[in-house]
Amino acid sequence: MLLTSGFAQNTREADAAPASPAKRYAISNFGAVGDTTTLNTTAIQKAIDTAAQGGGGVVVIPRGTFRSGAIFLKPGVELHLDAGAVLFGSDNIEDYPKRETRIEGHFEPWRMALVNAQQIDRVRISGEGVLDGNGVTFWRAFWQRRKENPKCTNLEVERPRLMFIDRCRDVRIEGIALQDSGFWNLHLYGCRDVTIEGLRITIPSAARLKLRGPSTDGIDVDSSQNVTIRKCYISTNDDDIALKGSKGPLADRDADSPPVENILIEDVEVGEGNGLITCGSEATTIRHVTARNCTLSGGATLLTLKLRPDTPQHYEDITLDGITLAGHGRIINVAPWTQFFDLKGQPPPKREVNRITLRNLHGKYGAFGTLRGNPGDVLHNITLEKCTITLDDDRLALGVVENLVTKDVMVNGKAFVVPEPHTDKP
């Protein structure tokens, strides 16, 4: 199966040790000052460029809080954050250059991230330190604009991502914490053979200030293949792990948006958020996805499939196995999604959901959720098996599903009985 072979190759490449220790370049030796206020963008970029010119090495962020705008990794240059190190994002949007970049399923001029890697083979980012997006200023600007215009789009107020890994191969990101991103935390676009391990992704200032951090997705896997996410903790104000592509009635013809496939998520805990796995604010084909041995400890949904009536979508072979439920969210949310609906004068496209399996779910949670599509959507071969769960709301809002199978499913101490589907228009 492609899933297994792809992950095996990814692990072999990621675990391969270099032949000799890499030269280390501490940013403090290039004029960076960890006093929270000094803007260190130029000094950090100088360390990266010097390492690249010297044949490669490890750029080290030492203990301290180093304010910076966008920095750009180079081939052969690793980024390491020591324990106690904080790379602290500037709250001035002008410190993030505007370039043609991938955002929300297309390319347009948009602000770059705090940490960027573009078209590099072998990307390494590691350590025990923190990437802090310092996003509060950007959140407040967004909510002010939303107050002025309730229909404003996510891109109407410029906000930087925390990390953008763009069309790279052999990527390993491990150990670091990501917090308070102004926009998405970690965006992978067009990448292959990626391992993300041991990250902690949170939005702590949102809770402290009682201010929601908008669109602060944890990890966005956009048009990428052979991606492993393991041993992470993610709790955000939006999707925890989002699988993305493009949107619109001709999205399946977009050469810049190949299928998202061969995705493994294991030993991950999610707290708050829209979903351990979310497919579809912008997505076309997503297939061969496995989540196993994961825990939901807050209000996140286990599986969200957004079905856009303006976009051709095919979600296939998605399995969630061995899931511990210990919170108050929903198990499943498969439903129409009409945000910024636009057929662009084209006829409505079709959507298909096929071979979705939820297996070995156990524990206590909030609600069962929703399983229905738009009129004309094909949902088939959905399986729930070997589940023993206690729910505050055990109702399943069910639409038309072909071959919905349940095996050994106990809900609130009773064998689960599939409800009658509702065929009214959603």
Side-chain angles (χ1 to χ4, degrees):
M1 181 179 177
L2 285 174
L3 186 67
T4 303
S5 61
F7 293 138
Q9 180 182 2
N10 184 15
T11 301
R12 287 196 300 270
E13 292 176 354
D15 291 343
S20 60
K23 186 174 180 180
R24 296 169 72 84
Y25 297 79
I27 63 171
S28 52
N29 293 334
F30 293 83
V33 180
D35 61 359
T36 307
T37 57
T38 300
L39 186 66
N40 294 290
T41 314
T42 300
I44 298 172
Q45 192 63 54
K46 184 178 179 181
I48 293 169
D49 294 346
T50 301
Q53 292 164 6
V58 180
V59 169
V60 178
I61 300 178
R63 179 178 293 274
T65 300
F66 296 86
R67 182 184 289 262
S68 180
I71 60 173
F72 297 84
L73 299 182
K74 299 290 181 67
V77 178
E78 303 180 19
L79 181 66
H80 182 86
L81 287 80
D82 282 347
V86 180
L87 185 60
F88 190 62
S90 169
D91 58 2
N92 182 353
I93 194 63
E94 296 305 324
D95 291 327
Y96 304 89
K98 184 182 287 189
R99 298 182 179 178
E100 191 78 7
T101 188
R102 174 76 168 197
I103 196 75
E104 288 201 343
H106 66 285
F107 286 86
E108 68 169 79
W110 183 253
R111 299 291 176 171
M112 299 304 291
L114 177 60
V115 176
N116 303 271
Q118 297 180 278
Q119 301 186 59
I120 297 173
D121 288 346
R122 196 177 188 277
V123 174
R124 297 291 185 270
I125 301 171
S126 64
E128 299 175 77
V130 177
L131 294 183
D132 188 325
N134 189 22
V136 174
T137 298
F138 305 114
W139 305 344
R140 286 178 173 150
F142 177 83
W143 290 122
Q144 177 59 35
R145 182 57 185 152
R146 178 61 64 87
K147 183 178 179 181
E148 296 165 355
N149 175 19
K151 295 184 179 180
C152 79
T153 69
N154 291 332
L155 302 184
E156 201 162 314
V157 175
E158 294 179 327
R159 294 169 285 159
R161 293 157 287 184
L162 200 46
M163 301 179 69
F164 180 41
I165 312 299
D166 175 16
R167 289 167 287 189
C168 296
R169 292 174 178 263
D170 184 12
V171 177
R172 188 174 185 94
I173 303 171
E174 59 182 336
I176 60 176
L178 284 66
Q179 67 184 39
D180 286 348
S181 181
F183 196 42
W184 300 344
N185 278 270
L186 171 53
H187 180 194
L188 303 168
Y189 167 66
C191 294
R192 292 183 64 89
D193 304 326
V194 178
T195 298
I196 300 168
E197 184 165 357
L199 271 57
R200 181 178 179 85
I201 303 175
T202 59
I203 311 295
S205 291
R208 177 173 55 84
L209 299 173
K210 298 182 179 179
L211 175 69
R212 186 169 179 266
S215 302
T216 47
D217 294 4
I219 301 172
D220 288 297
V221 181
D222 178 0
S223 307
S224 296
Q225 301 81 41
N226 302 345
V227 177
T228 297
I229 302 169
R230 65 163 68 98
K231 297 180 181 178
C232 295
Y233 174 79
I234 308 171
S235 184
T236 75
N237 294 127
D238 211 310
D239 302 327
D240 297 288
I241 299 172
L243 309 182
K244 289 180 172 288
S246 189
K247 62 182 176 181
L250 304 179
D252 55 349
R253 305 180 193 178
D254 182 4
D256 292 325
S257 304
V260 176
E261 59 187 344
N262 297 345
I263 310 299
L264 174 62
I265 301 163
E266 61 181 354
D267 300 315
V268 167
E269 178 182 350
V270 297
E272 302 305 316
N274 283 351
L276 169 66
I277 297 175
T278 297
C279 304
S281 294
E282 48 275 345
T284 46
T285 300
I286 297 173
R287 60 196 180 204
H288 307 315
V289 179
T290 297
R292 63 192 184 200
N293 303 326
C294 295
T295 298
L296 277 71
S297 57
T301 302
L302 174 58
L303 175 65
T304 295
L305 302 182
K306 298 176 180 179
L307 298 172
R308 295 189 63 102
D310 62 356
T311 300
Q313 294 174 315
H314 190 167
Y315 304 148
E316 183 174 76
D317 291 319
I318 299 175
T319 299
L320 297 97
D321 190 355
I323 308 297
T324 298
L325 303 170
H328 53 273
R330 293 174 295 187
I331 291 177
I332 192 166
N333 183 31
V334 178
W337 180 261
T338 57
Q339 185 184 50
F340 310 125
F341 173 84
D342 187 0
L343 281 172
K344 304 182 185 299
Q346 299 292 325
K350 302 295 184 181
R351 283 149 303 286
E352 181 180 7
V353 176
N354 187 26
R355 294 193 296 276
I356 308 297
T357 301
L358 279 66
R359 180 188 301 123
N360 293 319
L361 277 56
H362 58 275
K364 186 180 187 303
Y365 222 49
F368 213 132
T370 300
L371 178 56
R372 63 185 176 92
N374 301 277
D377 287 354
V378 177
L379 279 63
H380 54 159
N381 303 320
I382 313 296
T383 301
L384 290 81
E385 60 181 343
K386 298 180 181 178
C387 300
T388 302
I389 51 181
T390 300
L391 299 172
D392 296 330
D393 182 352
D394 63 4
R395 293 171 296 178
L396 174 63
L398 183 64
V400 176
V401 178
E402 300 173 5
N403 195 30
L404 173 58
V405 176
T406 63
K407 301 176 183 178
D408 301 323
V409 177
M410 299 292 292
V411 179
N412 293 346
K414 300 178 182 179
F416 177 66
V417 177
V418 176
E420 289 295 321
H422 294 278
T423 57
D424 295 337
K425 290 185 179 181

